[in-house]
Amino acid sequence: MWTVIYIAANRAQAEKMKDILSAEGILSNTRATGAALAAGDGAYEILVLESEANEANEIICQYAVMKNLTRG
């Protein structure tokens, strides 16, 4: 079963997260929500297999921390 682990602000961010997860060996998918369905851009859900949800969440958190560390 697929489960949502992250909601990206736009398609580009969703694809970036999908690439990060893929590089770590996590199978993921994206799904447009709300305005993205009608207008073509907006929020996108990042989905992974339920069995990999915890690991995927840790990877995304590590990415966010590293991104914040390299900003300043």
Side-chain angles (χ1 to χ4, degrees):
M1 168 138 325
W2 292 91
T3 186
V4 176
I5 59 154
Y6 187 81
I7 299 177
N10 54 48
R11 185 177 182 159
Q13 186 181 43
E15 291 299 322
K16 175 101 173 150
M17 290 296 168
K18 188 175 176 181
D19 291 344
I20 289 165
L21 292 169
S22 178
E24 295 291 333
I26 304 288
L27 182 63
S28 63
N29 203 352
T30 60
R31 179 172 58 196
T33 62
L37 290 171
D41 204 17
Y44 280 76
E45 296 174 334
I46 310 297
L47 302 98
V48 299
L49 295 174
E50 192 173 309
S51 61
E52 297 182 322
N54 287 337
E55 184 180 357
N57 194 34
E58 288 178 19
I59 291 166
I60 288 175
C61 287
Q62 287 175 350
Y63 170 77
V65 167
M66 293 306 293
K67 186 175 178 183
N68 284 333
L69 289 175
T70 58
R71 277 188 184 171

XYZ file of all heavy atoms in Angstrom:
538
model
N 0.843 -1.177 0.000
C 0.000 0.000 0.000
C 0.893 1.248 0.000
O 1.894 1.313 0.697
C -0.902 -0.023 1.235
C -1.571 1.283 1.448
S -3.298 1.382 1.918
C -4.136 0.101 1.134
N 0.508 2.252 -0.768
C 1.222 3.521 -0.844
C 0.764 4.439 0.269
O -0.419 4.472 0.602
C 0.969 4.182 -2.193
C 1.576 3.448 -3.344
C 0.978 2.487 -4.094
C 2.893 3.596 -3.861
N 1.846 2.028 -5.051
C 3.037 2.697 -4.930
C 3.968 4.398 -3.528
C 4.198 2.587 -5.665
C 5.135 4.283 -4.271
C 5.238 3.393 -5.320
N 1.689 5.224 0.810
C 1.346 6.179 1.856
C 2.036 7.509 1.595
O 3.162 7.542 1.086
C 1.702 5.618 3.255
O 1.225 6.496 4.255
C 3.186 5.419 3.413
N 1.366 8.603 1.903
C 1.913 9.948 1.704
C 2.890 10.250 2.834
O 2.570 10.080 4.006
C 0.790 11.005 1.685
C 1.370 12.412 1.583
C -0.176 10.736 0.552
N 4.093 10.692 2.465
C 5.090 11.042 3.483
C 5.488 12.511 3.435
O 6.137 13.001 4.351
C 6.357 10.172 3.363
C 6.989 10.336 1.986
C 6.046 8.735 3.678
C 8.461 10.068 1.982
N 5.105 13.198 2.364
C 5.527 14.590 2.204
C 4.607 15.263 1.207
O 4.130 14.620 0.268
C 6.975 14.634 1.700
C 7.590 16.008 1.650
C 8.107 16.591 2.798
C 7.667 16.718 0.464
C 8.689 17.854 2.760
C 8.246 17.982 0.416
C 8.748 18.539 1.562
O 9.316 19.791 1.526
N 4.356 16.540 1.394
C 3.594 17.326 0.411
C 4.493 18.441 -0.082
O 4.892 19.316 0.691
C 2.292 17.878 1.013
C 1.405 16.719 1.462
C 1.569 18.754 -0.018
C 0.130 17.118 2.137
N 4.843 18.367 -1.351
C 5.725 19.354 -1.977
C 4.911 20.545 -2.454
O 3.741 20.407 -2.831
C 6.453 18.711 -3.158
N 5.535 21.709 -2.460
C 4.852 22.948 -2.845
C 4.537 23.007 -4.337
O 3.580 23.665 -4.746
C 5.703 24.150 -2.455
N 5.345 22.316 -5.140
C 5.138 22.353 -6.592
C 5.743 21.103 -7.234
O 6.373 20.288 -6.563
C 5.729 23.624 -7.201
C 7.189 23.798 -6.841
O 7.988 22.874 -6.960
N 7.544 24.983 -6.375
N 5.574 20.981 -8.537
C 6.042 19.789 -9.241
C 7.566 19.654 -9.201
O 8.094 18.568 -9.038
C 5.555 19.828 -10.688
C 5.900 18.590 -11.445
C 5.338 18.613 -12.844
N 5.662 17.362 -13.495
C 5.020 16.892 -14.537
N 4.010 17.562 -15.039
N 5.371 15.759 -15.071
N 8.271 20.773 -9.351
C 9.739 20.728 -9.347
C 10.261 20.197 -8.008
O 11.165 19.355 -7.978
C 10.314 22.113 -9.626
N 9.686 20.672 -6.917
C 10.094 20.196 -5.597
C 9.746 18.713 -5.429
O 10.525 17.945 -4.868
C 9.428 21.027 -4.507
C 9.919 20.690 -3.109
C 9.216 21.506 -2.047
O 8.005 21.685 -2.103
N 9.972 21.995 -1.085
N 8.594 18.309 -5.930
C 8.184 16.904 -5.856
C 9.161 16.002 -6.613
O 9.557 14.943 -6.120
C 6.773 16.738 -6.411
N 9.561 16.439 -7.795
C 10.518 15.646 -8.583
C 11.878 15.567 -7.893
O 12.540 14.533 -7.927
C 10.654 16.218 -9.996
C 9.413 16.024 -10.851
C 9.043 14.565 -11.073
O 9.955 13.719 -11.237
O 7.833 14.267 -11.081
N 12.295 16.666 -7.254
C 13.563 16.673 -6.512
C 13.508 15.654 -5.373
O 14.452 14.885 -5.180
C 13.829 18.078 -5.971
C 15.031 18.192 -5.093
C 16.176 18.763 -5.845
C 17.328 19.021 -4.893
N 18.590 18.892 -5.526
N 12.422 15.646 -4.619
C 12.271 14.686 -3.521
C 12.242 13.254 -4.045
O 12.829 12.352 -3.459
C 10.997 14.965 -2.724
C 11.064 16.219 -1.915
S 12.348 16.083 -0.650
C 12.453 17.756 -0.129
N 11.567 13.060 -5.157
C 11.505 11.733 -5.768
C 12.904 11.269 -6.179
O 13.271 10.110 -5.961
C 10.562 11.769 -6.971
C 10.270 10.422 -7.554
C 9.230 10.533 -8.655
C 9.018 9.174 -9.298
N 8.063 9.202 -10.379
N 13.700 12.170 -6.742
C 15.079 11.845 -7.129
C 15.938 11.500 -5.918
O 16.747 10.572 -5.961
C 15.715 13.001 -7.902
C 15.098 13.208 -9.274
O 14.392 12.301 -9.767
O 15.315 14.290 -9.851
N 15.776 12.254 -4.837
C 16.539 12.006 -3.609
C 16.209 10.618 -3.063
O 17.104 9.849 -2.702
C 16.257 13.101 -2.561
C 16.896 14.413 -3.010
C 16.748 12.693 -1.173
C 16.403 15.625 -2.257
N 14.933 10.304 -3.018
C 14.523 8.995 -2.512
C 15.011 7.874 -3.421
O 15.487 6.840 -2.944
C 13.000 8.943 -2.355
C 12.436 9.836 -1.258
C 10.917 9.913 -1.363
C 12.854 9.352 0.115
N 14.926 8.080 -4.708
C 15.383 7.078 -5.675
C 16.876 6.802 -5.517
O 17.311 5.647 -5.581
C 15.075 7.551 -7.095
O 15.542 6.625 -8.033
N 17.662 7.850 -5.296
C 19.107 7.694 -5.114
C 19.426 6.851 -3.883
O 20.479 6.211 -3.819
C 19.770 9.066 -5.001
N 18.505 6.828 -2.924
C 18.684 6.044 -1.697
C 18.013 4.670 -1.801
O 17.968 3.919 -0.832
C 18.116 6.803 -0.497
C 18.845 8.086 -0.191
C 20.251 7.856 0.352
O 20.503 6.798 0.964
O 21.102 8.747 0.161
N 17.484 4.359 -2.982
C 16.880 3.050 -3.199
C 15.431 2.927 -2.762
O 14.913 1.818 -2.608
N 14.748 4.058 -2.587
C 13.347 4.062 -2.169
C 12.457 4.310 -3.385
O 12.612 5.314 -4.079
C 13.078 5.158 -1.108
C 13.985 5.005 0.101
C 11.609 5.182 -0.718
C 13.667 3.857 1.004
N 11.539 3.401 -3.632
C 10.576 3.560 -4.715
C 9.541 4.589 -4.285
O 8.975 4.490 -3.196
C 9.894 2.218 -5.002
C 8.886 2.188 -6.129
C 9.556 2.524 -7.461
C 8.232 0.821 -6.197
N 9.317 5.609 -5.103
C 8.358 6.651 -4.745
C 7.532 7.051 -5.952
O 7.858 6.723 -7.088
C 9.075 7.868 -4.167
O 9.939 8.446 -5.129
N 6.473 7.772 -5.670
C 5.573 8.239 -6.711
C 5.073 9.629 -6.305
O 5.151 10.000 -5.141
C 4.402 7.269 -6.854
C 3.751 7.346 -8.208
O 4.063 8.211 -9.020
N 2.837 6.428 -8.470
N 4.576 10.389 -7.259
C 3.996 11.700 -6.954
C 2.553 11.721 -7.428
O 2.179 11.006 -8.353
C 4.767 12.845 -7.642
O 4.735 12.653 -9.051
C 6.206 12.910 -7.159
N 1.760 12.569 -6.754
C 0.351 12.698 -7.119
C -0.062 14.156 -6.920
O 0.110 14.719 -5.840
C -0.483 11.763 -6.250
C -1.974 11.826 -6.519
C -2.752 10.764 -5.783
N -2.556 10.853 -4.343
C -2.870 9.882 -3.494
N -3.367 8.743 -3.941
N -2.688 10.049 -2.198
N -0.603 14.745 -7.968
C -1.068 16.129 -7.903
C -2.280 16.230 -6.987
O -3.103 15.314 -6.929
C -1.426 16.624 -9.293
N -2.369 17.349 -6.262
C -3.513 17.577 -5.386
C -4.043 18.990 -5.588
O -3.320 19.874 -6.050
C -3.135 17.423 -3.897
O -2.163 18.404 -3.564
C -2.596 16.052 -3.602
N -5.257 19.223 -5.234
C -5.850 20.563 -5.251
C -5.663 21.306 -6.558
O -6.043 20.839 -7.624
N -5.050 22.489 -6.464
C -4.867 23.368 -7.617
C -4.012 22.722 -8.702
O -4.167 23.029 -9.873
C -4.235 24.683 -7.182
N -3.116 21.828 -8.319
C -2.255 21.173 -9.308
C -3.081 20.341 -10.280
O -2.711 20.191 -11.443
C -1.217 20.298 -8.615
N -4.193 19.813 -9.828
C -5.053 19.025 -10.712
C -5.664 19.888 -11.813
O -5.737 19.486 -12.960
C -6.171 18.360 -9.904
C -5.740 17.242 -8.965
C -6.904 16.830 -8.067
C -5.231 16.055 -9.747
N -6.083 21.096 -11.457
C -6.751 21.979 -12.412
C -5.778 22.839 -13.197
O -5.898 22.984 -14.409
C -7.747 22.875 -11.672
N -4.800 23.419 -12.517
C -3.928 24.408 -13.149
C -2.613 23.824 -13.650
O -1.883 24.486 -14.371
C -3.635 25.533 -12.163
N -2.278 22.610 -13.239
C -1.039 22.007 -13.704
C 0.123 22.212 -12.759
O 1.135 21.558 -12.887
N 0.015 23.131 -11.808
C 1.065 23.283 -10.804
C 0.423 23.632 -9.474
O -0.623 24.254 -9.422
C 2.090 24.343 -11.196
C 3.439 24.111 -10.522
O 3.683 22.997 -10.036
O 4.238 25.054 -10.486
N 1.055 23.213 -8.433
C 0.538 23.378 -7.082
C 1.102 22.272 -6.228
O 2.158 21.724 -6.531
N 0.418 21.901 -5.186
C 0.916 20.892 -4.255
C 0.905 19.497 -4.872
O -0.002 19.137 -5.620
C 0.080 20.905 -2.990
N 1.948 18.751 -4.541
C 2.079 17.360 -4.966
C 2.399 16.496 -3.763
O 3.244 16.858 -2.939
C 3.212 17.190 -5.993
C 2.830 17.584 -7.390
C 2.736 18.917 -7.755
C 2.552 16.625 -8.351
C 2.377 19.286 -9.038
C 2.198 16.983 -9.638
C 2.114 18.316 -9.974
O 1.761 18.676 -11.251
N 1.725 15.365 -3.643
C 2.026 14.405 -2.588
C 3.168 13.501 -3.031
O 3.246 13.139 -4.210
C 0.805 13.538 -2.290
C -0.367 14.307 -1.752
C -1.615 13.472 -1.586
O -1.768 12.456 -2.312
O -2.435 13.834 -0.739
N 4.040 13.176 -2.103
C 5.095 12.193 -2.338
C 4.645 10.927 -1.627
O 4.392 10.945 -0.421
C 6.455 12.649 -1.763
C 6.800 14.068 -2.201
C 7.548 11.654 -2.113
C 6.972 14.268 -3.675
N 4.549 9.847 -2.375
C 4.090 8.586 -1.820
C 5.188 7.530 -1.896
O 5.957 7.498 -2.872
C 2.874 8.070 -2.591
C 1.666 8.992 -2.643
C 1.644 9.775 -3.941
C 0.404 8.197 -2.480
N 5.262 6.710 -0.862
C 6.182 5.572 -0.839
C 5.414 4.363 -0.333
O 4.323 4.488 0.228
C 7.420 5.825 0.055
C 8.221 7.014 -0.451
C 7.035 6.007 1.499
N 6.024 3.192 -0.506
C 5.405 1.998 0.049
C 5.368 2.113 1.567
O 6.313 2.618 2.179
C 6.191 0.754 -0.366
C 6.185 0.458 -1.869
C 7.113 -0.708 -2.181
C 4.774 0.168 -2.347
N 4.286 1.666 2.145
C 4.108 1.772 3.586
C 5.282 1.161 4.350
O 5.708 1.695 5.368
C 2.799 1.091 3.984
C 2.353 1.375 5.386
C 0.967 0.822 5.656
O 0.054 1.107 4.858
O 0.826 0.110 6.657
N 5.829 0.084 3.831
C 6.946 -0.599 4.501
C 8.230 0.235 4.498
O 9.145 -0.040 5.277
C 7.207 -1.957 3.847
O 7.559 -1.783 2.486
N 8.320 1.242 3.621
C 9.510 2.092 3.529
C 9.264 3.519 4.023
O 10.138 4.377 3.901
C 10.007 2.137 2.081
C 10.447 0.786 1.557
C 10.977 0.844 0.148
O 10.428 1.600 -0.687
O 11.944 0.125 -0.118
N 8.105 3.769 4.594
C 7.726 5.127 4.985
C 8.664 5.721 6.030
O 9.069 6.882 5.906
C 6.286 5.151 5.488
N 9.016 4.966 7.050
C 9.903 5.494 8.093
C 11.275 5.852 7.534
O 11.817 6.916 7.826
C 10.042 4.511 9.250
C 8.804 4.439 10.107
O 8.008 5.375 10.141
N 8.617 3.331 10.789
N 11.834 4.946 6.736
C 13.145 5.199 6.139
C 13.095 6.413 5.204
O 13.990 7.266 5.224
C 13.635 3.970 5.374
C 15.020 4.125 4.804
C 15.499 2.904 4.045
O 14.791 1.889 4.001
O 16.613 2.984 3.494
N 12.056 6.512 4.401
C 11.907 7.640 3.476
C 11.782 8.954 4.239
O 12.379 9.959 3.852
C 10.696 7.421 2.585
N 11.046 8.943 5.327
C 10.889 10.140 6.145
C 12.232 10.568 6.735
O 12.553 11.762 6.754
C 9.857 9.900 7.247
C 9.406 11.180 7.887
O 9.307 12.199 7.242
N 9.125 11.118 9.174
N 13.028 9.623 7.191
C 14.359 9.941 7.713
C 15.246 10.554 6.632
O 15.979 11.513 6.893
C 15.022 8.685 8.268
C 14.422 8.204 9.570
C 15.058 6.921 10.076
O 16.185 6.583 9.644
O 14.420 6.253 10.898
N 15.178 10.028 5.431
C 15.982 10.554 4.321
C 15.588 12.000 4.014
O 16.443 12.866 3.845
C 15.823 9.657 3.068
C 16.494 8.305 3.322
C 16.389 10.332 1.826
C 16.123 7.238 2.315
N 14.288 12.267 3.967
C 13.818 13.627 3.694
C 14.238 14.578 4.808
O 14.668 15.701 4.553
C 12.292 13.638 3.469
C 11.990 13.000 2.116
C 11.730 15.053 3.537
C 10.533 12.828 1.813
N 14.143 14.133 6.058
C 14.563 14.970 7.191
C 16.062 15.265 7.121
O 16.481 16.404 7.356
C 14.215 14.297 8.513
S 12.456 14.326 8.877
N 16.871 14.265 6.803
C 18.317 14.475 6.667
C 18.610 15.473 5.553
O 19.470 16.342 5.698
C 19.034 13.161 6.383
C 19.109 12.252 7.575
C 19.713 10.899 7.228
O 19.905 10.571 6.052
N 19.992 10.109 8.237
N 17.901 15.355 4.446
C 18.083 16.282 3.335
C 17.751 17.711 3.766
O 18.498 18.644 3.477
C 17.218 15.862 2.143
C 17.171 16.907 1.057
C 18.249 17.072 0.195
C 16.069 17.734 0.907
C 18.224 18.045 -0.796
C 16.038 18.707 -0.072
C 17.111 18.862 -0.926
O 17.084 19.826 -1.886
N 16.642 17.864 4.491
C 16.226 19.195 4.949
C 17.260 19.795 5.896
O 17.590 20.979 5.796
C 14.863 19.119 5.623
N 17.797 18.994 6.795
C 18.819 19.474 7.735
C 20.071 19.889 6.982
O 20.627 20.971 7.218
C 19.146 18.403 8.797
C 20.401 18.755 9.570
C 17.972 18.220 9.744
N 20.527 19.052 6.058
C 21.737 19.377 5.295
C 21.520 20.625 4.440
O 22.422 21.456 4.335
C 22.138 18.194 4.412
C 22.586 16.978 5.193
S 23.903 17.340 6.382
C 25.233 17.744 5.305
N 20.352 20.780 3.878
C 20.059 21.955 3.067
C 20.116 23.215 3.927
O 20.662 24.234 3.507
C 18.685 21.815 2.421
C 18.345 22.901 1.453
C 17.031 22.621 0.764
C 16.673 23.750 -0.174
N 15.377 23.563 -0.806
N 19.573 23.154 5.132
C 19.602 24.304 6.038
C 21.027 24.604 6.530
O 21.383 25.770 6.693
C 18.678 24.091 7.237
C 17.226 24.274 6.861
O 16.900 24.994 5.937
N 16.351 23.598 7.572
N 21.828 23.588 6.744
C 23.200 23.781 7.199
C 24.064 24.464 6.132
O 24.950 25.244 6.444
C 23.840 22.465 7.615
C 23.329 21.847 8.911
C 23.963 20.482 9.123
C 23.615 22.743 10.100
N 23.807 24.151 4.888
C 24.629 24.717 3.800
C 24.180 26.109 3.391
O 24.881 26.784 2.645
C 24.627 23.790 2.567
O 23.282 23.597 2.124
C 25.266 22.456 2.894
N 23.040 26.558 3.872
C 22.552 27.910 3.547
C 23.376 28.989 4.246
O 23.607 30.039 3.710
C 21.105 28.073 3.975
C 20.130 27.556 3.002
C 18.750 27.946 3.416
N 17.785 27.358 2.516
C 16.503 27.374 2.701
N 16.011 27.929 3.789
N 15.692 26.834 1.854
N 23.715 28.733 5.497
C 24.328 29.800 6.285
C 25.748 29.658 6.444
O 26.738 29.860 6.054
